[in-house]
Amino acid sequence: MIFSRRSLAVVSSLYLFLLPFLSNGQCTIRGKVFDENGESLPGAIVAPKSNPGQGAATDLDGNYSIRSLDFTEAILIFSMVGLKSSEERVKIVKGGVVVHNVILYSTAQQMKEVEISAKAIRSNDFYYETIKKKSASTIDFISSEVIKKTGDNTVTAAIARVSGVSTNGAMITVRGIGDRYVKTTINGSRIPTLDPFTNNIKLDLFPTGLVDNIVLTKTASPELPGDWAGAYISVQTKDYPEQLSVGVETTFGYNVQSTFKNYISSAKSKTDWLGYDNSLRERSHDNFNLAYLSPTPYQEFVALGLADYYNALGVTENNWSLGTPTGDTYYKLGLIQLGLLAPGQIDDPVAVQSATDQFEVSGLKNQAFDIINAPAAATGQSFSNNWNTTNRVAPLNFSQSFSLGNQSTLFGKTIGYLFGFRYSSNIVSDPTSTTARASVAQDPNGGLVNFVASQTVQNISRETNGWSALLNVSMKLNSNNSISLFAMPNMSGVNNVRYSEDRLDPTNYILTNSQFYESRKQFIYQLNSDHYLPISKIRMAFSSSFTNGKSKAPDFKNVQYYYDPISKSYLIGGNIGDGIHRYYRYLSDNVWDNHFGVEKPIFEKEGLVRKLGAGLSAEINAKKSGQYDYFINFGPYSRLDLVNNDLDQLFDPANFGLSTVTDQFGKIHSTLDSYYGVFDTPANFTFGNSKIFGGYIMTDYAFTSRWRFSGGVRVERAEIFTDVNLFDSLGYAPNDPRRSYSSSYPLANPGTLSETNILPS
């Protein structure tokens, strides 16, 4: 159970001090004009009653701004063709900014004045409650207003409060549908999943401190892409404010299971606190060398200096095989070159056997072994020795955010900006968690019987550190056209450590030691523009978003071994469980998402929504993933034992060097006590490219206040291709036998999709 307390939440109002000096004592009145349906009204006229020439028209979002008012009270006239005018009294604050929003009603209805003291911004429940009521689609939302009350730090925690949403770690499920059926966007543009196997995005990457609201659309609509079914999620980032606003927020969290207590951890780099590893866990993969515990005679003779001799004969390892006449001849010739066999004795079996024995007794065989395996020993010693877990004391969970936003003018144009930054550090642990896994088997009589397959006690922890920033700059070119630029870098690092004991067999525990660190990076860049044509009342919107995403899981260590609690002895190596592995996983995921939409009112009637919309979209995704899987084996003469569960002692770099051992017959052998191998299969390195082009036409048409039709059709063209890097670079066709990289798996054929779909909704 986690208790979280918001200990400090300060919203500064510095503008009260600054604006008197910036505005020469004059006042500015700003606000927004709505119709009775909650829609913003572009083109409405706002003018002082005493001086109509000082008036202004609302822009495409219904916003207006009037400056240089020197009265103590002003009377403003709000008017628009087809709507009742409204006369509003506004108190003037010299050197300040007054926000005044108004609703204009149709001439057929009685006018009511609604005056609010703050801008109708997206972070309030009111904003999306109005949209939800009027929307033809089924939507749910959670606003930052609610998030502040609940204290949720990540989007994952916040969205779990929406009806029908459940979470599994950082993943979400909507109405029981998850994975590829849920699509997530930032401000309506798609972002990478940073996962090679799922379409579900880990939303814990995004802090709630930089979010205005989270909207879930649950029913299809033509303007939305067609590759989702459970929910279309849009995380709406913060918008710039009407006036100078400085926000500072600090959060501390107390966890009863971990805070100020020891928790299991691992070696950490100097930059873990910033959400990434600075090479402590990383390594080069270009200089890996395999071990050869049983080198062939060809390898031995080449190591002893006969490479040029065999090259002159045209001999390679591929055409050398003992037991064949040609292979045996090459072997005898090698013995002759080493001075162990006289040329005239090449056909004397006794002399050949004596030379073979001399090859071993003289130490040449061990010398060749050392030369052949010296690179493998160097490879083993190059890996870091950080297998043991450690204990640390967990501090308070912590987050710090800062935001600064305002509106200003540049070259006579209104500019709004917002900068936000948030850092967080969080630790959760459970030192005594237990799991029991059940299974079903068939008894001798053909029935089914349940039994316990595992009974595990584990000590686990998860450390999360990360930061996010946001920069949003918008410019109103004029009252009907605006453009905005948005950038949002995100960096997050998660360190998961687990030590478990499966005690199902009371005489032989299966122990697991696991250290998994993953860093994720997403840099999001967006360009948006909105346009309104007053005469035709056409609205147009364009957005282009590019996201560069990367995920790294360097040095994921996983060790399984046995422990006898009676004799207090350990058994490691062999074919125990999953063995001893170090994984290095990499993923790059880049998405370019573009949308253009146009909307026009049709057959207008007061109080009813009637409009026609159309648009185009293009989404391009490029993904690459790679994995290196190294494992540790022990040599046939290994004398290493695990003592006191000290993995660092067992895997000390010295134990990966060359050594000698005397067997039971008194023979001396060169050996490797420990050495690394690699599962080097082409299928560990893959790529995928997709291009999805779409177009739609739709209408939202209210026949009466009770009857409304919303729908249309969307057409999408999808081109998707994925393949193994090596096979694609070599041009292997589908079903080419060379695409078989393992007898356990079928051919690794490319995945392709090329089709057009018509999607009515």
Side-chain angles (χ1 to χ4, degrees), residues 170-172 184-185 191-193 199-204 206 522:
M171 303 293 192
I172 68 167
T184 305
T185 64
I191 55 177
T193 63
N199 192 49
N200 211 332
I201 294 174
K202 297 178 180 179
L203 293 174
D204 58 350
F206 302 101
Q522 282 190 343

Side-chain angles (χ1 to χ4, degrees), residues 77-80 83-88 104-105 107 111:
I77 304 298
F78 295 79
S79 61
M80 188 171 184
L83 300 177
K84 283 189 176 182
S85 299
S86 177
E87 187 174 297
E88 306 283 326
L104 296 183
Y105 293 87
T107 55
M111 182 180 68

